[in-house]
Amino acid sequence: MISVTGISYEFFNPGGVEIYREQGTGDFLFLHIRTGMEAVLDPAEGYVTVPPDAFLLFNRGDPQIYRKTDGHFINDWIHFTVDPYDDFFEKLGIPFLTPMLLPRSSVISDLIRDLYREYYTRESGENGLDEMAATMFRHLGTLYQDSLCGKRSGKYLAALTEIRREILDFTWQPASVTEIAKKLNLSVSYLQHLYKDTFGTTVSEDLIDGRIRHAAGLLRETDKSISEISSLCGYENLEHFSRQFKSRKGCSPQKYRQITPVPTAAGK
């Protein structure tokens, strides 16, 4: 049985985060790293880069050492136990201490959101929570194995990963897919195919996600007007911005500003 002991969804860490738990926490920790970070996955290698939208699983007793020191950090996290364990993750083919970039990663993100809501409402009781968590990990195992079968080891993987990090962190917002294709000296059609095959989403969707994530940060941290934030995020039309924001966050920019509390503690 999976027992969730703590969970958060889209947890915002202003200014970054630095976690150093050399002995771990005695339970399992599952992370969805939305903004990228550095982590120690092998003590011999030290800190290595973990790209945005990666998933990472820590075993019981694994050191939990990770940080983001160059900007805000957003992640989903779940602390949990599995009893009896019975090689649960080995049977699903889910590795420990291995960043997982998945096709259709939104499937797992949605399941984490549902699990988060269930945890705080307990509408279906402990058994329902256990089954939801087990279902999420079964999907994770299937998607991870799919990613291994379709993974490209070509020369563009590192460049694409860095470009995606810049897009989602809003440190570079190309004017169009064509601009990215020119940077990599690829045709637009081949870039779109390669990007979707590598990350399970499109360039256009990530461009929107990068803008909306940046807008959400400005709404949380500043008193800039909605119109000004829309412009700063690359939108010429306020109505278009509001529509895309609501489709990603589930509410209007105005409502998001009202209901989103300013965090006072670092995430897990």
Side-chain angles (χ1 to χ4, degrees):
M1 179 174 180
I2 299 177
S3 178
V4 176
T5 55
I7 183 172
S8 192
Y9 177 74
E10 289 190 345
F11 196 95
F12 176 74
N13 299 267
V17 70
E18 187 155 12
I19 300 296
Y20 193 92
R21 306 184 186 114
E22 195 170 11
Q23 304 301 319
T25 50
D27 57 5
F28 297 94
L29 172 61
F30 179 58
L31 300 179
H32 178 201
I33 302 119
R34 294 178 175 271
T35 51
M37 67 178 189
E38 295 178 305
V40 176
L41 307 178
D42 180 344
E45 296 181 2
Y47 282 99
V48 295
T49 298
V50 179
D53 211 29
F55 297 88
L56 187 61
L57 179 65
F58 293 88
N59 201 349
R60 298 158 297 185
D62 281 342
Q64 298 169 8
I65 304 173
Y66 56 90
R67 68 189 181 188
K68 181 173 174 62
T69 58
D70 59 349
H72 303 317
F73 180 63
I74 303 174
N75 72 331
D76 310 322
W77 54 262
I78 307 173
H79 282 276
F80 63 97
T81 58
V82 183
D83 186 27
Y85 180 65
D86 194 26
D87 293 332
F88 178 73
F89 289 113
E90 288 80 0
K91 291 176 180 177
L92 292 177
I94 299 173
F96 296 105
L97 297 177
T98 302
M100 293 173 276
L101 289 169
L102 306 178
R104 305 187 303 282
S105 62
S106 60
V107 172
I108 305 302
S109 180
D110 290 346
L111 289 170
I112 295 173
R113 179 198 60 205
D114 293 344
L115 189 63
Y116 170 74
R117 291 173 177 170
E118 178 66 22
Y119 180 80
Y120 286 103
T121 61
R122 304 297 174 105
E123 292 179 350
S124 58
E126 287 297 332
N127 288 337
L129 194 67
D130 166 49
E131 182 53 37
M132 288 180 69
T135 297
M136 180 191 70
F137 284 120
R138 284 195 292 268
H139 279 292
L140 178 73
T142 298
L143 291 175
Y144 179 64
Q145 293 305 313
D146 286 349
S147 76
L148 294 181
C149 292
K151 184 179 290 184
R152 290 176 180 266
S153 58
K155 61 182 180 181
Y156 297 109
L157 181 58
L160 284 172
T161 299
E162 177 61 19
I163 285 171
R164 188 172 196 235
R165 184 193 67 78
E166 292 175 345
I167 288 173
L168 293 177
D169 286 353
F170 206 75
T171 55
W172 180 48
Q173 276 288 293
S176 66
V177 177
T178 301
E179 185 177 345
I180 303 173
K182 287 182 178 178
K183 183 174 183 177
L184 296 175
N185 197 28
L186 297 173
S187 70
V188 171
S189 60
Y190 184 64
L191 167 66
Q192 291 173 325
H193 176 78
L194 191 62
Y195 197 97
K196 180 71 179 287
D197 191 53
T198 303
F199 301 118
T201 190
T202 65
V203 182
S204 298
E205 286 296 307
D206 272 350
L207 287 170
I208 295 171
D209 280 347
R211 294 187 187 112
I212 297 305
R213 289 182 186 185
H214 186 56
L218 292 174
L219 287 166
R220 286 189 299 259
E221 304 161 47
T222 76
D223 58 0
K224 296 181 186 296
S225 70
I226 304 299
S227 178
E228 187 177 0
I229 289 174
S230 171
S231 179
L232 288 171
C233 293
Y235 290 89
E236 297 180 358
N237 183 289
L238 180 57
E239 183 179 349
H240 182 50
F241 163 66
S242 297
R243 229 178 8 249
Q244 287 196 339
F245 190 95
K246 187 173 183 179
S247 73
R248 291 302 196 277
K249 296 298 184 181
C251 62
S252 69
Q254 294 89 338
K255 185 69 174 177
Y256 184 85
R257 174 170 267 170
Q258 293 169 5
I259 66 176
T260 305
V262 177
T264 58
K268 298 291 184 176

